[in-house]
Amino acid sequence: MESNPRLLVISPHLDDAVLSCGLLIAAHPGTVVCTVFTAPPAENMATDWDRASGFTDALEAMRTRQAEDREALGLLSATPVHLLFRDAQYQASPDVDALVAALSRTVSNAKPTRVLMPLGLFHSDHVLVASACLALMQRDPATPFIAYEDVPYRHMPGVVQARLCELAKRGYAADTPHAFDVPGTPQHERMKRAALDAYRSQLRAFGPEGRASLFSAERYWQLCRVESSRSAQAA
């Protein structure tokens, strides 16, 4: 195993990477974090989530959230990459092929030795990004893909187990990678908490009860494709 891996973290939204992988990113300066959904809608609107975050409309929300993301990742010595896709709340979700093409270009530019992707829990945006990453993994079998458990959805009862069963039926094996035990040093924990605090608008929307579950242990799953007649039929 390489002593200094080059990490690329694929993040659905502007906070998911730090919520789910902040300790890991802190331990690997120079990590590239590629966030998929960072564009405002084609026509301005105001959604419930944006209003809960303190914004008057989507244009203000995405402009501010991009700035928060750059601040947060700067505290972790990570490099942000913002793809200009629109998330589900703006009623303009992209298709998987478009995501795969954009992520493929990102991988080519970043040249990572490992790609971190969402496990794909609950939220339609997370599931969509995970599907694109799985397709990309089949195109690039030489690069290890590791799935992180999506915070905060991983706390929903049974959601992780259901997703792992679904992946198994589709022919993907998921094993906990012992080499990715995250160093929970006090320094890294302070760095992650400071980065989370930079997402001020999102913390406002989560509220006190929601914020209590955001800082939790990080868990990762090494993914690989299992070729068999049964998995091929389920794919």
Side-chain angles (χ1 to χ4, degrees):
M1 175 167 307
E2 70 271 27
S3 59
N4 187 27
R6 298 188 305 276
L7 303 183
L8 169 63
V9 180
I10 308 298
S11 179
H13 303 112
L14 292 158
D15 64 1
D16 289 320
V18 174
L19 285 171
S20 303
C21 310
L23 292 176
L24 187 66
I25 296 170
H28 294 86
T31 292
V32 175
V33 176
C34 173
T35 305
V36 173
F37 301 109
T38 73
E43 296 184 5
N44 202 6
M45 64 174 67
T47 66
D48 290 342
W49 182 260
D50 286 345
R51 282 191 289 264
S53 301
F55 301 118
T56 58
D57 57 43
L59 292 178
E60 179 190 12
M62 297 314 297
R63 181 172 60 250
T64 303
R65 292 190 64 193
Q66 285 189 29
E68 290 175 347
D69 189 58
R70 287 190 290 268
E71 178 184 350
L73 296 181
L75 293 171
L76 300 178
S77 298
T79 300
V81 173
H82 293 163
L83 301 183
L84 297 179
F85 293 104
R86 300 181 181 97
D87 66 34
Q89 71 169 331
Y90 298 142
Q91 304 172 1
S93 297
D95 60 37
V96 172
D97 290 341
L99 286 186
V100 172
L103 291 174
S104 180
R105 290 191 293 269
T106 301
V107 171
S108 179
N109 291 334
K111 297 178 173 58
T113 57
R114 297 187 182 195
V115 176
L116 280 292
M117 56 169 279
L119 189 57
L121 303 180
F122 182 70
H123 194 298
S124 62
D125 287 338
H126 287 240
V127 175
L128 180 59
V129 171
S131 295
C133 289
L134 291 173
L136 188 61
M137 184 178 79
Q138 293 190 59
R139 291 188 182 187
D140 185 15
T143 301
F145 277 67
I146 295 171
Y148 57 82
E149 292 187 5
D150 318 39
V151 174
Y153 307 116
R154 56 169 283 190
H155 298 294
M156 299 172 67
V159 70
V160 172
Q161 292 82 356
R163 178 60 171 165
L164 293 175
C165 289
E166 178 188 353
L167 289 174
K169 291 178 181 177
R170 294 173 56 188
Y172 295 95
D175 295 312
T176 302
H178 298 292
F180 254 68
D181 289 341
V182 179
T185 68
Q187 178 185 4
H188 293 142
E189 290 183 359
R190 286 193 297 269
M191 292 171 67
K192 178 175 180 176
R193 289 186 184 276
L196 285 176
D197 287 342
Y199 294 106
R200 289 171 286 275
S201 65
Q202 303 310 288
L203 294 179
R204 185 182 301 114
F206 277 116
E209 293 184 3
R211 287 198 296 269
S213 65
L214 296 182
F215 196 94
S216 55
E218 298 175 8
R219 287 202 295 265
Y220 301 89
W221 299 86
Q222 175 80 58
L223 297 180
C224 65
R225 183 72 173 165
V226 178
E227 296 297 339
S228 69
S229 58
R230 183 176 180 181
S231 66
Q233 293 174 359

